[in-house]
Amino acid sequence: MAAATLPAMPDAEDVRRIALSLPDTTEKVAWSMPTFRVAEKMFATLPEDETSIAVRCPKEERDELALAEPEKFWIADHEAQFAWVRVRLAALEDEGELHDILADSWRQAAPTRLLETHPRLGRPPGA
């Protein structure tokens, strides 16, 4: 019987693989960093040293997340006026959580035609 191994924390390659697996997603370098877009609308970035991501998040939810889980979520000063939140990759439980975060951001940027084509994409079970 093989020894159990702990799942590796998600990294920049996981972000890229998961983001690009979402329908109609493309990668484009902007501001010297990888950005991920659906129908030309940005839904995620992989800033600076690639230890975090920035994703779309309604301001009310973003503020609650940053207060409830500051080790995982924070608001970058230059993004404070926008509906974006930063996520520390090392603080995520697993790839599933990363997928859920990216899919939620994708849904916020995706056009109606894609949302209608992929109604359950990234939705929690039972949603």
Side-chain angles (χ1 to χ4, degrees):
M1 188 158 90
T5 57
L6 292 174
M9 73 173 182
D11 63 15
E13 287 310 309
D14 295 319
V15 171
R16 179 171 281 108
R17 178 177 45 78
I18 293 168
L20 291 173
S21 76
L22 299 170
D24 285 12
T25 295
T26 57
E27 180 176 348
K28 179 180 179 181
V29 173
W31 307 288
S32 301
M33 72 178 120
T35 67
F36 301 92
R37 299 158 188 257
V38 57
E40 297 301 315
K41 283 184 76 177
M42 195 165 40
F43 71 90
T45 67
L46 196 54
E48 294 94 30
D49 62 3
E50 299 189 344
T51 62
S52 69
I53 56 174
V55 292
R56 289 176 176 265
C57 185
K59 285 185 181 180
E60 313 76 46
E61 289 178 33
R62 173 194 76 177
D63 295 345
E64 289 175 20
L65 285 171
L67 285 171
E69 297 184 81
E71 71 288 347
K72 189 180 291 188
F73 301 101
W74 87 99
I75 302 162
D77 291 341
H78 67 281
E79 295 166 345
Q81 71 271 30
F82 304 108
W84 287 78
V85 68
R86 294 285 183 106
V87 185
R88 289 179 181 86
L89 295 175
L92 296 177
E93 292 174 24
D94 54 25
E95 276 189 33
E97 186 177 19
L98 175 60
H99 179 275
D100 291 347
I101 289 168
L102 287 168
D104 186 58
S105 186
W106 179 91
R107 278 194 304 276
Q108 293 175 59
T112 304
R113 69 176 169 78
L114 282 175
L115 295 174
E116 289 171 353
T117 307
H118 306 278
R120 295 190 52 77
L121 179 71
R123 296 238 182 252

